[in-house]
Amino acid sequence: MIPPTNQRTRTLLVDDHPVFLDGLTSILKDCDEIEILNTVTSAEEALQYLENESLGLVITDINLPGMNGIELIKKIKEINPNLPVLVLSMFLGRELVKEILSVETEGYLSKKINKVELFDAVKKIIHGGTYYSNEITSVMMDLISKKKSDRTLLKHELTHREREILQLICQEYSSKEIASKLFISVTTVDSHRRSMFKKTGAKSVIRLIRYAVENNLVMW
């Protein structure tokens, strides 16, 4: 969902390290597309806050006291499937990446990233896209390449144009950017996107990307 251009995206930050939260808040104040509503130090506080406030983005760590970040994301998606979540974490293990994909998180970055990449990720996510850093993508590809698949061929083949659009979706282009790159309308892009959802059985962009990678439908 694209927010109005004159309205900042209401954002909640979740991390159990107050010093990191202070630093992140200071950095994100320079991002003119989001408004930091609050910072909390636990998943439980985040869920309580979510009950009382309308949000457009949650940025969270995974390693939290009590309920961890994965459980938090599951709860968020149950409450509001359309609320995007960006994970900032020091952990990049294969099993964690698998869990991140399973809960359909819109973005996953290492805490080592720089300000420019953080802003790029935030802007892409709030405009309906996804963002995974190169480190995360590398782990994702390694994980998928080692997975034994018993999938059958696609019942309905994707068209050439759908494959083009799918490639760009996997490269984290927004519908507007795809339309500009392929010289077609945003409406046409969205029509092809709906067609791909129907053909692949995917229910979200994250699932569509997973499906594409697992079935070797895109090149990285």
Side-chain angles (χ1 to χ4, degrees), residues 12 54 56-57 103 125 145 175-176 180 193 198 204 210 215:
L12 176 68
S54 175
L57 176 66
V103 294
I125 289 170
S145 68
S175 290
K176 184 177 180 180
S180 176
R193 188 192 294 251
K198 184 176 180 180
S204 67
R210 286 173 58 191
N215 287 276

Side-chain angles (χ1 to χ4, degrees), residues 9 26 56 90 97 100 117 119 152 162 181 189 200 204 218 220:
T9 299
S26 178
M90 290 299 295
V97 171
I100 289 293
E117 186 174 10
F119 280 22
T152 57
E162 286 170 346
K181 195 173 185 65
V189 173
T200 63
S204 67
V218 293
W220 297 84

Side-chain angles (χ1 to χ4, degrees), residues 73-217:
I73 296 167
K74 287 180 181 178
K75 292 287 187 182
I76 289 174
K77 295 300 183 180
E78 289 173 4
I79 297 170
N80 184 358
N82 297 318
L83 176 58
V85 179
L86 170 61
V87 169
L88 284 179
S89 177
M90 290 299 295
F91 301 98
L92 305 175
R94 290 179 61 206
E95 290 305 311
L96 181 54
V97 171
K98 182 189 290 186
E99 288 187 286
I100 289 293
L101 287 172
S102 72
V103 294
E104 301 180 19
T105 308
E106 282 73 15
Y108 188 4
L109 296 173
S110 165
K111 285 186 174 179
K112 298 177 183 178
I113 50 94
N114 58 43
K115 179 177 179 178
V116 173
E117 186 174 10
L118 176 60
F119 280 22
D120 192 21
V122 166
K123 289 178 180 180
K124 283 196 172 183
I125 289 170
I126 64 176
H127 286 283
T130 60
Y131 195 101
Y132 291 88
S133 67
N134 289 335
E135 291 176 291
I136 305 303
T137 301
S138 176
V139 176
M140 286 169 56
M141 294 304 297
D142 180 62
L143 182 66
I144 291 169
S145 68
K146 289 177 170 57
K147 179 180 178 179
K148 294 181 179 179
S149 177
D150 57 358
R151 293 180 182 269
T152 57
L153 294 175
L154 282 172
K155 183 177 180 181
H156 302 284
E157 289 291 338
L158 299 184
T159 65
H160 175 70
R161 178 62 86 188
E162 286 170 346
R163 284 177 178 260
E164 282 184 313
I165 292 173
L166 182 56
Q167 177 75 49
L168 293 172
I169 288 174
C170 290
Q171 292 174 0
E172 298 166 351
Y173 283 84
S174 67
S175 290
K176 184 177 180 180
E177 291 169 330
I178 293 172
S180 176
K181 195 173 185 65
L182 297 181
F183 304 103
I184 57 179
S185 69
V186 174
T187 300
T188 299
V189 173
D190 290 339
S191 177
H192 284 301
R193 188 192 294 251
R194 288 193 297 271
S195 175
M196 287 187 285
F197 281 151
K198 184 176 180 180
K199 290 179 178 180
T200 63
K203 302 297 183 183
S204 67
V205 172
I206 304 301
R207 289 189 182 183
L208 186 61
I209 292 172
R210 286 173 58 191
Y211 189 96
V213 175
E214 291 174 2
N215 287 276
N216 297 313
L217 297 177

